[in-house]
Amino acid sequence: MDPIAAELALAETAAAKRRVDGLVRTAMAVPLRLLALAWIVLCPIALLVGRNHLGPAVGIALLAVTALAWVQYRRVARERGVRARLWPWLAVAVIALGGGAATSRSGTDHGVAWLNIAGPFVVNALALLALAGFVRSRAIGIAAVTMLAISFIVAGTLSGDVAVAVQLAAYAAVLMVASAWIGR
């Protein structure tokens, strides 16, 4: 094979892979926006029912976000011929829900307020950081690290249900910025 033709074919293949990877990252903007919306809706719920009774609402929100993400991924696959995998997002949802519940419960059982207040958010941010690595998204990675910092700052300065509501609102804002960054 001609070396120039081989080099051109390799360059064309690399460009196609970058386009597909970009579409996969762009598809991730929708669940991030939906998650941000869910966190905004959960802010007043956290204040009304309390942080220790927020689990079912979080579970419903994550289930709804996952279902809508699946619908979005299928639409993108039909329209653009690129199929994004749902399992990374599903893993984030399961880890966020299970790990969040475990850290919140552990914080309550052991009397460790910061674990009860910030633990579920730290788990959520770490799951998003893993997702960022999987989809190779700098925007999601920066958002996840920002979210970790927010959790530690809020847990160190606020307490109770207000701390949870503030983290929900701050996480929503960070997710909206990240989704706007990757959605373009």
Side-chain angles (χ1 to χ4, degrees):
M1 177 176 230
D2 180 24
I4 293 175
E7 191 172 324
L8 286 173
L10 183 60
E12 192 174 308
T13 302
K17 182 176 179 350
R18 282 192 302 277
R19 280 192 305 275
V20 168
D21 288 347
L23 286 172
V24 168
R25 282 191 297 276
T26 300
M28 191 57 62
V30 171
L32 293 178
R33 285 184 190 123
L34 293 170
L35 186 59
L37 177 62
W39 288 169
I40 290 168
V41 169
L42 288 173
C43 285
I45 295 172
L47 295 172
L48 291 172
V49 302
R51 70 185 181 278
N52 293 328
H53 303 288
L54 202 56
V58 171
I60 291 168
L62 287 173
L63 182 61
V65 168
T66 301
L68 291 170
W70 178 73
V71 169
Q72 170 66 14
Y73 287 177
R74 291 190 41 104
R75 186 181 66 75
V76 167
R78 275 192 316 273
E79 290 176 1
R80 299 195 176 154
V82 175
R83 192 168 153 216
R85 297 180 188 151
L86 182 64
W87 74 262
W89 176 256
L90 188 58
V92 167
V94 168
I95 290 167
L97 186 59
T103 56
S104 179
R105 187 81 228 152
S106 294
T108 301
D109 290 347
H110 300 297
V112 183
W114 70 265
L115 186 59
N116 176 262
I117 291 168
F121 292 95
V122 169
V123 169
N124 186 9
L126 291 174
L128 286 172
L129 189 59
L131 177 67
F134 182 77
V135 299
R136 287 177 241 132
S137 173
R138 178 179 287 175
I140 297 173
I142 291 169
V145 170
T146 303
M147 294 160 86
L148 283 169
I150 287 168
S151 290
F152 290 115
I153 291 168
V154 168
T157 57
L158 298 174
S159 62
D161 299 337
V162 171
V164 171
V166 167
Q167 286 178 95
L168 285 166
Y171 271 39
V174 170
L175 288 173
M176 287 305 282
V177 169
S179 68
W181 190 6
I182 66 173
R184 46 180 155 115

